[in-house]
Amino acid sequence: MDPPLHDVYRRMLIPEFSVRRIREMRPAIQEIVDRLLDDMLEQGTSADLVETFGLAVPSLVICRLLGVPYADRDFFQSRTRRMVGAAPEAPQDSMNAAMEIWHYLDGLITEAEREPGDNLVGRLVTARRESGELSHDALVGMTFLLLVAGHETTANMIPLGVLSLLRDPGQLAGLRADPGGWPLAVEELLRFHSIVDWIAFDRVATEDMKIGGQAVRAGEGLFVLGASANRDPRAFERPDELDLRRGARNHVAFGYGVHQCLGQNLARAELEIAYRTLFERIPGMRVVGEVEELPFKYGGPIFGLHALPVAW
Ligand code: HEM
């Protein structure tokens, strides 16, 4: 979607992702992370971190954000897991789960139209009534976009970051000694992994232009390789090295320009709380098996791991 309509929608959502609003959400995120780790520890001494933690954290955070009632969380979580985690050979399963979520959100919004709660959906419904700018279907579409954009990204970033940290005990020890270093570490993990690559940045030129000396004609497609920018030696020294104290905030892991990630403050808070709490509570965690044999998601739109077996 392009401006000016894009601006109208985006402006409605900006206050929901402000630094202040996300700061207010931190205790709720901490509670979600703590509960999931309680469950994991109760279950035994090993787990698949993708299933039990990576997928669960963003799913429950989004439930909270959208005001999904507690009783519906299992339904919501299982469908989001199927939508995001379906095997590549069974795309229909993912489509079916997406349809079920769409219907669910449709119902959630109808409910909020009757009685708007004090959450993102409630506030949007109220704003829509006041301004008349947003149709019911547009609202369903918007919440669905938030769910997809905020779920798969964070769900992949959590296990990948954990893996990187487990493979680098020296830097992990540094973070344990100085937990104030976590925000910088999160930025570097985002840069280093650049999980959202060309699929998010694909564009069609609306007019003739020149980019980096290259002529692009109106109507031509562009694939901007975000990961390549994030490993550009002109922008970052030793770009292929994970340096958790690098402090480089000029990465493009959240995109650039008018579509830059709306949920980046939330993503940063989720990642920081998830990594810090996990390593505080399970200091002896280790990867089970050979890293080279882990099932990485090559070829998918967003990089990540299908599974990360860990033990402690
Ligand atoms: C590690 C986590 C995340 C990463 C790496 C990430 C990355 C990105 C990127 C690269 C874009 C730009 C796409 C483009 O230019 O076309 C984007 C857009 C977006 N992201 Fe995120 N994202 C993350 C988490 C989240 C979260 C938690 C939410 C909200 C719940 C969210 C909501 C959005 C939305 C709504 C857009 C579209 C913005 C627009 O078009 O104006 N993202 N994200």
Side-chain angles (χ1 to χ4, degrees), residues 236-257:
F236 305 99
E237 272 179 41
R238 303 165 282 106
D240 295 327
E241 224 175 86
L242 180 74
D243 174 0
L244 298 179
R245 300 176 75 89
R246 184 187 293 274
R249 288 184 179 268
N250 56 332
H251 64 75
V252 290
F254 288 122
Y256 185 81

Side-chain angles (χ1 to χ4, degrees), residues 209-223:
M209 61 181 75
K210 255 192 173 174
I211 300 176
Q214 173 73 48
V216 180
R217 287 197 196 85
E220 282 182 347
L222 282 152
F223 295 99

Side-chain angles (χ1 to χ4, degrees), residues 82-83 85-97:
R82 264 175 49 208
M83 180 173 77
E89 57 279 10
Q92 194 55 42
D93 195 37
S94 163
M95 289 286 289
N96 292 344

Side-chain angles (χ1 to χ4, degrees), residues 159-160 163 167 287-298 304-310:
L160 273 181
L163 177 63
R167 295 185 74 190
V287 179
V288 176
E290 296 301 319
V291 170
E292 291 68 32
E293 282 161 23
L294 288 172
F296 285 98
K297 291 184 183 172
Y298 294 114
L305 281 155
H306 289 292
L308 178 60
V310 290

Side-chain angles (χ1 to χ4, degrees), residues 6 10 146 149-150 153-154 196 200-201 203 253-255 258-259 261 263 267:
H6 169 260
R10 187 163 168 122
L146 284 180
T153 44
T154 317
V196 183
F201 296 98
R203 297 288 192 272
F254 288 122
V258 296
H259 292 284
C261 182

Side-chain angles (χ1 to χ4, degrees), residues 61 88 152 197 225 234 256:
V61 168
E152 183 155 11
D197 205 356
L225 298 175
R234 289 167 300 179
Y256 185 81

